Amino acid sequence: MKILVTGAAGFIGSKLAFCLAQRGDEVVGLDNINDYYDVRLKYGRMAECGIAVENNNFADGEMVQSVLLPNYRFVKMDLTDRESLNALFATEGFDKVVNLAAQAGVRYSISNPYAYIDSNIVGFMNILECCRHHSVAYLVYASSSSVYGLNDKVPFSEDDKVDMPVSLYAASKKANELMAHSYSKLYNLPTTGLRYFTVYGPWGRPDMAPMLFADAISKGDAIKVFNNGDLSRDFTYIDDIVQGTIQAVDKCPDAVACPNNVPAKVYNIGCSQPVKLMDFINEIESAIGVEAKKEYLPMQQGDVYQTYADTSRLEAEVGYKPSISLHEGIKRFIDWYKSDKNPLKD
């Protein structure tokens, strides 16, 4: 199976590309390696997959062969580059596409809205068009738990209304689901959207709470605790998330089993065991061996009180079942954070 993974220098994408190639799929990873956060982390993830060039000088459009995985190659490319993307699809003839590339970050979308329209709307449109015109058999794409917005019914179910977003990022992810459904209907393109809940683990993003907390606690700085600590998140370990994504890649929707015979599915993917923020902080404190200094703050704009995934549909239809406990996951994360593998380690 030949699979394109976009966002292949990202947290989930790099691990997914590695695991797909490791099991024997022919994989092409794509990323524009933007500087939304420290690119040393992106280059480090890529190096874990055997993708490296001298001085990290990746040329646009150049295909780089992994030195660890003979069936993995990487190309630096932006989804908004319609001509280059179309040429890549025409040359490679992908069977399946996993689109994880996106401008991430809820809070960043408030100050940089156009970045989300370019990447998450225009870029996703280009992916859909390339899939249509180049006979891709199946598209899996990243949605987000943020689509639930102001929904206060828990746990969040795929059947809940998602028309009250609290950020442009959330709105762009809901737009992706609608766009994908329309292509599934119009062109019989099977699509599956995965509503990722809070993902953590080694090589995680530096703008997310686990890395921010670990960094501040290690340095003796105060951590910012929003809504005075009265928040909860459906934290899910990276290995569970990647395994669930692979299971979705292997389970193409059958139109006969879908509403209105449209081969389109959307699933929650999380741990289905929300954790109070203060309990999460306690686990990090315990793993590091230091009590955190805490700065209690009000709720941030664009944030939500809690996330809680109902993953029963993904479990029943795809076989997903997370297995890494929070205690074990935090231990693995902190072990990596303290190690020389962490490129941001001071």
Side-chain angles (χ1 to χ4, degrees):
M1 192 67 64
K2 192 170 191 178
I3 303 174
L4 172 68
V5 177
T6 73
F11 180 26
I12 301 172
S14 59
K15 181 84 173 183
L16 177 67
F18 180 90
C19 290
L20 288 171
Q22 191 176 50
R23 76 170 189 173
D25 291 305
E26 184 180 354
V27 181
V28 173
L30 179 153
D31 204 292
N32 67 356
I33 320 180
N34 69 25
D35 60 357
Y36 166 61
Y37 57 79
D38 196 321
V39 294
R40 289 179 295 169
L41 202 56
K42 299 184 179 184
Y43 291 133
R45 294 176 187 138
M46 294 163 65
E48 289 287 291
C49 298
I51 300 295
V53 297
E54 188 175 355
N55 298 320
N56 293 323
N57 188 23
F58 289 87
D60 290 344
E62 179 185 0
M63 194 70 72
V64 179
Q65 173 65 53
S66 168
V67 297
L68 298 177
L69 301 162
N71 49 335
Y72 181 49
R73 294 172 293 146
F74 175 87
V75 61
K76 183 182 178 186
M77 189 175 293
D78 197 300
L79 295 188
T80 60
D81 185 348
R82 190 190 314 174
E83 290 186 5
S84 295
L85 194 65
N86 186 67
L88 178 70
F89 273 73
T91 300
E92 296 293 338
F94 300 113
D95 299 303
K96 297 180 180 180
V97 173
V98 185
N99 184 57
L100 302 181
Q103 178 57 58
V106 171
R107 294 163 192 146
Y108 187 76
S109 68
I110 294 170
S111 57
N112 298 273
Y114 286 104
Y116 292 77
I117 300 303
D118 291 341
S119 179
N120 301 5
I121 303 298
V122 176
F124 189 62
M125 180 66 190
N126 291 341
I127 286 287
L128 287 170
E129 278 289 278
C130 284
C131 288
R132 171 167 81 100
H133 288 294
H134 297 285
S135 302
V136 171
Y138 180 30
L139 168 65
V140 178
Y141 63 94
S143 185
S144 169
S145 63
S146 66
V147 301
Y148 289 105
L150 294 175
N151 178 33
D152 56 6
K153 169 190 159 293
V154 293
F156 297 157
S157 164
E158 294 92 343
D159 294 325
D160 293 342
K161 286 187 176 182
V162 287
D163 54 3
M164 295 182 292
V166 296
S167 70
L168 184 62
Y169 172 72
S172 73
K173 287 301 184 179
K174 177 55 183 174
N176 287 172
E177 295 181 5
L178 297 173
M179 294 162 72
H181 188 278
S182 68
Y183 270 64
S184 294
K185 170 62 176 175
L186 290 170
Y187 308 113
N188 199 36
L189 170 65
T191 63
T192 291
L194 296 174
R195 291 175 177 171
Y196 290 106
F197 282 66
T198 309
V199 187
Y200 74 98
W203 297 101
R205 279 170 35 202
D207 60 322
M208 299 294 286
M211 192 81 88
L212 292 172
F213 290 162
D215 192 49
I217 293 171
S218 297
K219 294 176 180 177
D221 297 333
I223 62 172
K224 295 180 178 180
V225 183
F226 293 102
N227 205 37
N228 298 305
D230 187 18
L231 295 170
S232 64
R233 291 290 180 268
D234 200 321
F235 290 103
T236 313
Y237 190 68
I238 180 64
D239 289 15
D240 286 330
I241 287 290
V242 168
Q243 180 56 37
T245 302
I246 290 174
Q247 289 172 303
V249 169
D250 291 341
K251 184 73 172 180
C252 184
D254 181 355
V256 175
C258 296
N260 303 309
N261 294 323
V262 178
K265 290 280 189 177
V266 174
Y267 295 108
N268 289 334
I269 181 166
C271 194
S272 202
Q273 294 181 349
V275 176
K276 292 183 181 299
L277 179 60
M278 297 309 297
D279 291 339
F280 188 78
I281 292 171
N282 288 341
E283 284 285 354
I284 294 180
E285 289 174 322
S286 177
I288 295 177
V290 177
E291 183 177 351
K293 299 175 183 177
K294 302 174 183 71
E295 180 185 0
Y296 292 96
L297 298 167
M299 181 77 90
Q300 274 206 320
Q301 187 180 17
D303 226 340
V304 295
Y305 166 65
Q306 66 180 333
T307 62
Y308 180 0
D310 176 354
T311 59
S312 58
R313 184 172 297 175
L314 188 64
E315 182 177 345
E317 297 183 8
V318 175
Y320 170 74
K321 192 140 184 90
S323 61
I324 307 299
S325 69
L326 179 69
H327 180 75
E328 176 62 23
I330 291 296
K331 179 183 181 303
R332 294 184 189 182
F333 166 63
I334 295 301
D335 285 347
W336 169 85
Y337 178 84
K338 291 179 175 179
S339 76
D340 291 336
K341 282 194 170 185
N342 178 5
L344 307 187
K345 180 182 176 184
D346 292 330

